Amino acid sequence: RKEVEQDPGPFNVPEGATVAFNCTYSNSASQSFFWYRQDCRKEPKLLMSVYSSGNEDGRFTAQLNRASQYISLLIRDSKLSDSATYLCVVTGRGGSQGNLIFGKGTKLSVKP
Amino acid sequence: GAVVSQHPSRVICKSGTSVKIECRSLDFQATTMFWYRQFPKQSLMLMATSNEGSKATYEQGVEKDKFLINHASLTLSTLTVTSAHPEDSSFYICSALKRGRGTEAFFGQGTRLTVV
């Protein structure tokens, strides 16, 4: 089983749509979880951390289920500017901070 | 957010030559930096962990003699790809850990290496 698995997509959605991405991870010792956004040929940028209690930042909601080792990201009212690849990221062996394990990413394309 | 500068952003080199990539944390000190490699349509793969003042820790399958890492100061880590081959062509990205109330990894802009 891969360390971090994501549906690669692409997800093609119209503006204003709600879209959800899922991610599973294999290392039960992982301590921290994140969603990063990566635009084409650019470096990843932190979108949000994911907490056990779930967290929301504007149109973005992230949730974590430790028992199922499952992370989700919900984007409401999609904008054209949301088009990017969304990377599910967990900390690696021993839960070491900064030793980030990346999923392959889910590509989102928001159309007018 | 913090700033991590990576240089060069793009390099083309001949097979057999060596290329050095620099990663600098501009506004914070980073005792730990990471080097990743990303092939087209693939995820970022951790190559090595660079610790200031000590030897880097390489991931399985990454040749330490080919990918030389030096982290001589708290703001600079370098990755040298020695005797580059076309299969080394990839997108190389560094990240630096900023420790504070929370710990966050900040990424350099990446270096696109093409070996011809």
Side-chain angles (χ1 to χ4, degrees), chain B residues 26-70:
Chain B
L26 297 186
D27 54 356
F28 66 99
Q29 293 182 330
T31 53
T32 306
M33 292 186 178
F34 300 89
W35 287 96
Y36 294 85
R37 179 167 54 184
Q38 186 176 34
F39 292 107
K41 299 187 179 181
Q42 299 293 316
S43 59
L44 277 81
M45 297 299 296
L46 180 65
M47 298 176 66
T49 302
S50 171
N51 298 298
E52 186 268 336
S54 64
K55 290 182 180 180
T57 304
Y58 289 82
E59 294 300 299
Q60 193 172 11
V62 178
E63 299 176 57
K64 62 180 181 180
D65 294 329
K66 181 171 180 63
F67 298 98
L68 301 178
I69 291 172
N70 185 286

Side-chain angles (χ1 to χ4, degrees), chain A residues 16-46:
Chain A
T18 296
V19 61
F21 303 141
N22 301 320
C23 169
T24 57
Y25 62 95
S26 61
N27 183 3
S28 59
S30 293
Q31 299 290 322
S32 301
F33 310 88
F34 311 90
W35 284 101
Y36 276 74
R37 169 191 170 134
Q38 186 175 25
D39 292 288
C40 189
R41 293 174 174 261
K42 299 282 188 180
E43 77 277 17
K45 293 190 175 174
L46 180 65

